[in-house]
Amino acid sequence: GAVVSQHPSRVICKSGTSVKIECRSLDFQATTMFWYRQFPKQSLMLMATSNEGSKATYEQGVEKDKFLINHASLTLSTLTVTSAHPEDSSFYICSAFGDRGRRDSETQYFGPGTRLLVL
Amino acid sequence: TQLLEQSPQFLSIQEGENLTVYCNSSSVFSSLQWYRQEPGEGPVLLVTVVTGGEVKKLKRLTFQFGDARKDSSLHITAAQPGDTGLYLCAGRGNTNAGKSTFGDGTTLTVKP
C-alpha cells in the first residue's frame, strides 16, 4: 500500500490565488522530504528539500517566496504555491526516504502527485 | 553536481521485443533506484541496487549496477503493452544532503 500520501490529487484554481498541497508519510517518520515538479513526459525536477523544524533548502532558480514550504511535523510537509499563475500549472510530487525503522532508508518513497491547473 | 545520463529518451517497440535502458554517470553513487511512472501518478519503485556488480531480477526485468557504481542498466525481456510507461533512474550519493539525482527518463511504448 501507499507509504506517502498527497492531498489534493487535483486542484484547479484562479490566477492570483494560493494553493496548499500536503504530503504525509503514513507509517514512518521523515525528517526530510523533497518536493519535485514534473512536466509531461519529462523527468522530475527537484524544487526544494523540506527539513522538519527548520527552513527548507531551495534549488537554484526556485523562488522561495513563491513556493512556501513548511515541515511542521515528522510526518507532514506542505507546499503552498502563492499567487499562482498559469505558468505554475504542473504536476507536483513529494517524496521521503525511509527512516531505517519500518522503511528502507535507501529507498525514496513518492507520493501520488498533485495536478495543479491555474486558469 | 552529480549528473545521470539516461538513454534512450524515447523507445517504441513491438510486443515481444527486448530492450535495454542505460543510466551513466561520472560520479559514484551509494545506491541507485529504478522507478516506473504512469501518467498522472507518482513514480513507483522497481528496485534498489547498492553493491557494485549487483544484478537483480524482477520477473522479465533485469537490473544491473556497474562494478564502479557509476552506471546501471535495465533490461526488459519480451516486452508487453503493460510495460509502457516512463522509466526513471535515480542515484543517491554519499553527500549532497541525501538528495537523489534523476536521469531524464525513458518513455517506453510497447505496441500490441
Side-chain angles (χ1 to χ4, degrees), chain A residues 1-42:
Chain A
V3 296
V4 175
S5 69
Q6 273 184 250
H7 178 80
S9 58
R10 302 173 70 109
V11 57
I12 301 174
C13 69
K14 292 183 179 180
S15 184
T17 60
S18 294
V19 175
K20 179 186 285 188
I21 303 170
E22 293 185 349
C23 177
R24 295 181 185 272
S25 56
L26 299 181
D27 65 355
F28 66 99
Q29 295 182 338
T31 55
T32 302
M33 290 184 174
F34 302 94
W35 286 96
Y36 294 88
R37 185 174 179 176
Q38 186 179 34
F39 293 102
K41 296 192 176 181
Q42 293 188 23

Side-chain angles (χ1 to χ4, degrees), chain B residues 39-84:
Chain B
E41 299 180 10
V44 175
L45 179 69
L46 295 174
V47 78
T48 296
V49 286
V50 178
T51 306
E54 183 176 5
V55 177
K56 282 191 174 180
K57 290 194 174 185
L58 184 66
K59 296 183 180 179
R60 294 177 292 101
L61 278 61
T62 302
F63 305 86
Q64 188 164 5
F65 201 16
D67 292 340
R69 290 185 289 139
K70 294 181 179 181
D71 54 85
S72 182
S73 64
L74 157 62
H75 183 79
I76 301 179
T77 303
Q80 299 177 1
D83 296 326
T84 294

